Amino acid sequence: NPAVWQQWWFPLLALMVLCLFLFALFHIRLRAIKKKNTLLLELAENRQKVLVQLIHPHFVFNLMNTIQGAVLKEEKMVAASLVARLAKLMRLSMELSMEKWVSLEKETDLLNKYFELEEVRSPGKFQYRIEVAPSVHPSKTLIPSMLIQPFVENAIKHGILHCLNRKGLIHISFEQNKEDLFCIVDDNGIGRKASEKFNKAKPAGHQSSGIEITINRLRLLHQEQKTGFYYEVIDKVNAQDEAQGTTVRFTIPYKLVYETN
């Protein structure tokens, strides 16, 4: 008897198996391309939303009122200083928004300029501190641009500015934990529960969606880089169960300079 591979039906069966294998391979590849294209489209749409949220219009409007007040009081040096600072902040924010990856050093520089103007708007209301762990090199670590500012704005707007019995403090730190880069935004504001009561009194649609957009962007960026995404909000309380502020902790996708060469 002839061997199995010598039977008349064996080449036909082999051809069918090969066609099925190629079809499955093509289908898997097509699904991967569609998934990647969908991810890129979502990232592009989210980036557009970030550009819209770049500098909150209420922030600029309030700052312009401060500048106008300085002009009316004939405090020309103060007004000129505010205009110069605002121009530097807007120029730097536009420069960073055009880049997908920026150095952590530039991102913290943007935060410092933003804090300076917020301090002018609310003099003596809060202090801030930005710390980078020794294991993290700000000039060599690249992160997605314009990620931290929405969390800072949220801490000031919803936590610090409502404090009546203590001076506000915002502490931003960057830490390395094994392969993950963490950002921690800590404040000693009124907490989320009390902030929700203030927000309910505002007109519908007044609340900013910057945090939601930023979290979604973080999730998509981690998915693109195939890294784990972590996000946590901690409500701090004292022994009497009184709100002592909020801590936001999340991972940031990053690259090192030598990896991009």
Side-chain angles (χ1 to χ4, degrees), residues 28-68:
I28 293 173
R29 178 61 178 167
L30 185 63
R31 286 182 59 186
I33 293 174
K34 286 183 177 180
K35 185 177 180 180
K36 183 177 180 180
N37 288 340
T38 301
L39 176 62
L40 291 175
L41 180 61
E42 290 180 354
L43 279 169
E45 292 176 348
N46 196 271
R47 186 172 181 80
Q48 185 178 14
K49 293 178 182 178
V50 170
L51 289 174
V52 174
Q53 295 278 337
L54 195 57
I55 296 296
H56 201 286
H58 291 287
F59 169 76
V60 178
F61 179 76
N62 292 334
L63 190 60
M64 292 304 294
N65 283 340
T66 304
I67 295 172
Q68 184 183 30

Side-chain angles (χ1 to χ4, degrees), residues 3-246:
V4 173
W5 57 86
Q6 294 177 330
Q7 299 288 343
W8 65 270
W9 48 264
F10 184 82
L12 182 61
L13 179 63
L15 181 61
M16 290 177 62
V17 171
L18 180 62
C19 289
L20 287 173
F21 175 76
L22 292 175
F23 177 78
L25 190 64
F26 173 78
H27 185 67
I28 293 173
R29 178 61 178 167
L30 185 63
R31 286 182 59 186
I33 293 174
K34 286 183 177 180
K35 185 177 180 180
K36 183 177 180 180
N37 288 340
T38 301
L39 176 62
L40 291 175
L41 180 61
E42 290 180 354
L43 279 169
E45 292 176 348
N46 196 271
R47 186 172 181 80
Q48 185 178 14
K49 293 178 182 178
V50 170
L51 289 174
V52 174
Q53 295 278 337
L54 195 57
I55 296 296
H56 201 286
H58 291 287
F59 169 76
V60 178
F61 179 76
N62 292 334
L63 190 60
M64 292 304 294
N65 283 340
T66 304
I67 295 172
Q68 184 183 30
V71 172
L72 292 175
K73 293 178 182 178
E74 297 185 355
E75 297 175 347
K76 297 180 180 180
M77 295 299 295
V78 175
S81 175
L82 288 175
V83 171
R85 290 183 183 184
L86 178 60
K88 288 180 180 179
L89 173 64
M90 297 189 72
R91 183 177 65 182
L92 181 58
S93 63
M94 290 302 297
E95 288 177 358
L96 296 188
S97 68
M98 301 303 293
E99 301 290 338
K100 184 175 180 180
W101 297 91
V102 300
S103 68
L104 181 59
E105 186 176 38
K106 289 185 177 180
E107 187 76 5
T108 54
D109 184 29
L110 175 73
L111 292 176
N112 276 307
K113 287 180 170 57
Y114 180 78
F115 270 122
E116 288 174 2
L117 287 173
E118 284 285 10
E119 283 183 316
V120 172
R121 287 179 55 204
S122 307
K125 191 68 178 178
F126 70 92
Q127 295 177 325
Y128 74 93
R129 187 167 72 250
I130 301 176
E131 292 183 344
V132 180
S135 58
V136 181
H137 301 281
S139 60
K140 298 181 180 180
T141 304
L142 304 181
I143 66 173
S145 62
M146 306 298 293
L147 270 181
I148 318 301
Q149 185 269 338
F151 294 101
V152 174
E153 180 182 349
N154 192 68
I156 296 173
K157 183 178 178 181
H158 300 292
I160 297 298
L161 293 185
H162 298 299
C163 283
L164 300 176
N165 57 350
R166 60 180 179 271
K167 187 173 183 177
L169 174 64
I170 299 178
H171 180 206
I172 302 174
S173 58
F174 297 91
E175 301 175 356
Q176 188 85 33
N177 185 1
K178 296 182 180 179
E179 298 299 322
D180 297 320
L181 177 63
F182 279 87
C183 176
I184 299 96
V185 180
D186 181 85
D187 69 72
N188 66 340
I190 62 173
R192 288 192 295 176
K193 290 183 179 180
S195 178
E196 288 174 1
K197 295 179 181 179
F198 283 98
N199 291 332
K200 288 179 180 179
K202 295 180 181 179
H206 181 75
Q207 298 179 25
S208 172
S209 58
I211 292 296
E212 183 179 347
I213 292 173
T214 305
I215 293 173
N216 188 47
R217 183 183 174 211
L218 271 169
R219 187 179 291 106
L220 291 172
L221 287 167
H222 275 290
Q223 186 177 345
E224 181 189 36
Q225 297 297 313
K226 298 180 180 179
T227 53
F229 171 61
Y230 176 86
Y231 176 79
E232 180 185 18
V233 180
I234 303 170
D235 296 307
K236 300 188 299 181
V237 295
N238 58 17
Q240 290 74 37
D241 202 32
E242 297 172 337
Q244 295 295 299
T246 308

